[in-house]
Amino acid sequence: MCIACINKNLTTAMRPEQSLARRRLLKTVGLVSASALMGLGSQSYAKGAPPKPDNVLTPDQALERMMAGNARYANADSLSIDVKGTRGALSRGQNPYACVLSCADSRVSPELCFDEARGDLFVARVAGNFVNTDILASLEYAVAVLKSPLILVLGHTSCGAIDAAIKAYTQNATYPGHIQSLTTALAPAVREASKTVNAEGLVSATTAANVQINVEKLKESNPILSERVSKGQLKIVGGIYDLSTGRVKFL
């Protein structure tokens, strides 16, 4: 039974001692819920070392590692990946050092562009790299349970979702199926970018605005993300991947 249901069933007239018992019950349910969430993580690996000890980093160290990995990738100097050597450890759990909210574009592959292997990045992808309920829940899981210290919202140049959102906003273009919902979600970025640039620079400005809007949305997300940001346990940043160079410009 959820907390809301318990609360509803106990809202009938109560004597003081009943009210006290109700508060104790709700407190117990809350503790059980928190324990259940953390229990998801306890199943990921044994009490010993995490699957990838090198992934236990501070937020700043995690960001430095991403920047270094992208530099290697852009310079065509990527490291070799030991798939077989990490398979056993990763079968017992995961401890990714960073999360990436990326566009679903097939030309953007976070593991490749940051020169990382399996188990290093927790990647959530949706066309237009914006936050919705499912994306937020996924990132909360990575932060609260898997202890990831960094979230990167990653946009990219020549984004089809951004272009569609601009046409929907400026030309009233419509799209079949559920594609229109993407343009609606990206409309705030188009609106913000339109305040400062003309049509020629609208795609790049909207791409940057969309990244920044979603970075702030994640920073302000209660209760999990905002609390960890305020404590310095989590850093949330934005970046734009350049399709022509492979380099990520951090905002």
Side-chain angles (χ1 to χ4, degrees):
M1 180 180 292
C2 67
I3 294 177
C5 296
I6 294 174
N7 185 62
K8 180 178 180 181
N9 290 340
L10 295 176
T11 51
T12 52
M14 296 180 184
R15 294 188 298 274
E17 61 272 20
Q18 290 176 310
S19 180
L20 177 61
R22 173 178 174 271
R23 288 197 300 271
R24 287 174 175 171
L25 176 59
L26 291 176
K27 181 178 180 181
T28 300
V29 172
L31 290 173
V32 170
S33 298
S35 298
L37 175 62
M38 298 314 296
L40 292 173
S42 67
Q43 301 301 318
S44 61
Y45 51 84
K47 293 182 179 180
K52 287 197 162 186
D54 290 345
N55 285 0
V56 181
L57 303 172
T58 67
D60 288 335
Q61 289 172 336
L63 181 56
E64 289 175 4
R65 176 169 163 180
M66 292 196 85
M67 295 173 70
N70 178 245
R72 291 194 303 272
Y73 170 76
N75 293 327
D77 193 29
S78 297
L79 303 174
S80 60
I81 296 176
D82 181 14
V83 175
K84 185 177 181 180
T86 59
R87 184 172 292 148
L90 291 175
S91 68
R92 297 190 296 273
Q94 58 174 322
N95 63 311
Y97 79 88
C99 308
V100 182
L101 167 51
S102 168
C103 182
D105 194 297
S106 64
R107 300 166 294 177
V108 181
S109 177
E111 289 86 355
L112 290 179
C113 71
F114 293 108
D115 192 24
E116 295 295 1
R118 296 182 311 121
D120 293 329
L121 301 178
F122 187 96
V123 180
R125 304 184 69 170
V126 61
N129 47 274
F130 64 91
V131 177
N132 59 23
T133 301
D134 295 330
I135 292 290
L136 177 58
S138 298
L139 295 175
E140 286 178 333
Y141 171 79
V143 170
V145 179
L146 304 180
K147 308 302 182 185
S148 295
L150 176 68
I151 297 176
L152 169 65
V153 179
L154 185 63
H156 68 93
T157 57
S158 303
C159 180
I162 292 292
D163 183 64
I166 291 173
K167 290 176 179 176
Y169 185 83
T170 62
Q171 304 172 24
N172 292 320
T174 58
Y175 302 93
H178 294 82
I179 299 175
Q180 196 72 28
S181 65
L182 296 176
T183 67
T184 301
L186 298 173
V190 184
R191 185 162 47 248
E192 185 64 26
S194 299
K195 297 177 182 178
T196 57
V197 300
N198 55 29
E200 185 177 346
L202 196 52
V203 172
S204 59
T206 300
T207 299
N210 182 52
V211 168
Q212 292 168 337
I213 286 172
N214 284 284
V215 165
E216 293 305 313
K217 185 178 294 187
L218 290 173
K219 285 182 178 179
E220 297 170 1
S221 177
N222 294 316
I224 294 175
L225 302 186
S226 63
E227 179 181 348
R228 283 162 174 76
V229 169
S230 66
K231 291 180 178 179
Q233 300 170 343
L234 174 67
K235 184 183 288 289
I236 303 176
V237 298
I240 297 177
Y241 176 78
D242 190 318
L243 291 175
S244 63
T245 66
R247 294 189 180 277
V248 173
K249 178 184 178 181
F250 290 87
L251 304 179

